[in-house]
Amino acid sequence: MNFEGKVILVTGGSGLIGKAIISQLETLKATVINLDIVEHPFEKAVYIHCDITQPDSVLRALERVMRIYGSIDGLVNNAYPRTADWGVPFDQISHESWRKNIDIQLNSTFYITQQVLAYIVEQDKGGAVVNIASIYGVVGNDPSLYLGTEITTPAAYAAIKGGIINFTKYLAAAYGAKGIRINCVSPGGIWNNQDPQFVTNYENRVPLGRMGKPEDISPSVCFLLDDGARYITGQNLVVDGGWTII
Ligand SMILES: NC(=O)c1ccc[n+]([C@@H]2O[C@H](COP(=O)([O-])OP(=O)(O)OC[C@H]3O[C@@H](n4cnc5c(N)ncnc54)[C@H](O)[C@@H]3O)[C@@H](O)[C@H]2O)c1
């Protein structure tokens, strides 16, 4: 893989998975732009403040990218905005909170993708989008995992990530003729110092016997952005140590 001369935008690049994606893209010589609300120092990647939930902020950030770099070759939708009450039990989720999370996660992904695709279409040289979904956009959650822990999985996550996976297929069909590929990567659970009981429960269930690491996810993202994936579009690459096969 080689991204020399390619401009790749990564939303939420300062987070757990985003950092690994940006670091690998840097190694592969991409010009990487981190679109986040929080800055993180990278070797070469440039930070541009972008709140994906605010259309004005998205437009300003993309205009800035175009002014400085003149083109966009790829977008990774990885940002993970969520409300403060994210994860409360299902019977306690307020209607307002549900709507807000759908808005800041799903609707925001729609808007930035629509705006980036408009630039890519105008350039007329193709491009690629990778949406980060989740195993919980593919299968239901396993309640036994959370026994004895405070951890919950938010119901809206299933709706949002399932939506992102099918939104990806819609876009892939709509933009294929323009040489633009749109795919998904669906990570399984990533180790992040969770409750040891949860980690044990998880490891006992997953065929490869451990939780994921951010560096397990980034190679698939890079592959789907790269020209090696030139005949792959509308797919959901599940990177989960085999979680979803059983
Ligand atoms: N961590 C996991 O176990 C896991 C598993 C499956 C899927 N995912 C998905 O991977 C993606 C990244 O997750 P993560 O675990 O790295 O999350 P994270 O919370 O570590 O990072 C998310 C990043 O998004 C940024 N962000 C939040 N609100 C934003 C906004 N309004 N505009 C721009 N940026 C914003 C944050 O500042 C942060 O840098 C998410 O889409 C998540 O659903 C994560």
Side-chain angles (χ1 to χ4, degrees):
M1 291 187 272
N2 188 333
F3 291 91
E4 202 160 1
K6 297 233 165 114
V7 177
I8 312 287
L9 314 181
V10 180
T11 70
S14 302
L16 186 66
I17 294 177
K19 281 193 276 225
I21 295 172
I22 289 192
S23 298
Q24 187 166 358
L25 285 167
E26 280 183 328
T27 307
L28 296 168
K29 301 193 165 65
T31 299
V32 198
I33 323 292
N34 177 18
L35 300 178
D36 202 309
I37 50 174
V38 176
E39 190 164 0
H40 176 81
F42 287 100
E43 209 176 301
K44 289 190 225 109
V46 173
Y47 172 73
I48 294 184
H49 176 89
C50 175
D51 181 344
I52 64 156
T53 69
Q54 302 299 319
D56 287 355
S57 177
V58 169
L59 293 181
R60 266 199 310 276
L62 296 182
E63 277 162 19
R64 209 165 142 204
V65 169
M66 290 303 290
R67 211 168 40 245
I68 302 172
Y69 301 98
S71 113
I72 299 172
D73 299 283
L75 166 69
V76 182
N77 278 313
N78 165 78
Y80 189 15
R82 61 260 202 207
T83 57
D85 66 348
W86 185 240
V88 297
F90 181 71
D91 56 1
Q92 290 166 38
I93 302 168
S94 70
H95 189 207
E96 191 196 347
S97 170
W98 175 276
R99 287 168 69 145
K100 180 84 185 162
N101 280 298
I102 300 287
D103 189 45
I104 61 181
Q105 298 186 46
L106 186 57
N107 301 347
S108 300
T109 302
F110 148 74
Y111 188 69
I112 190 167
T113 305
Q114 182 195 51
Q115 296 307 311
V116 168
L117 284 172
Y119 281 116
I120 296 181
V121 167
E122 200 176 320
Q123 291 163 197
D124 199 21
K125 56 173 176 138
V129 175
V130 176
N131 295 321
I132 308 299
S134 165
I135 51 171
Y136 284 159
V138 179
V139 294
N141 64 315
D142 178 350
S144 69
L145 266 195
Y146 307 100
L147 287 177
T149 79
E150 299 285 303
I151 302 174
T152 55
T153 51
Y157 200 61
I160 291 160
K161 295 304 191 183
I164 296 270
I165 292 168
N166 216 40
F167 176 54
T168 301
K169 294 178 192 173
Y170 175 92
L171 289 176
Y175 284 86
K178 296 181 171 68
I180 304 169
R181 299 179 301 100
I182 296 101
N183 289 289
C184 253
V185 168
S186 281
I190 304 299
W191 187 84
N192 191 21
N193 228 353
Q194 290 95 338
D195 183 325
Q197 182 62 57
F198 169 80
V199 175
T200 303
N201 295 350
Y202 197 100
E203 288 177 349
N204 286 340
R205 189 196 179 281
V206 67
L208 288 183
R210 64 169 175 85
M211 295 195 73
K213 301 179 205 151
E215 296 72 24
D216 294 326
I217 308 305
S218 53
S220 298
V221 176
C222 293
F223 166 65
L224 289 171
L225 288 170
D226 184 65
D227 197 44
R230 63 189 164 272
Y231 202 53
I232 302 176
T233 197
Q235 299 304 305
N236 179 33
L237 181 47
V238 181
V239 186
D240 67 349
W243 179 271
T244 49
I245 62 163
I246 52 172

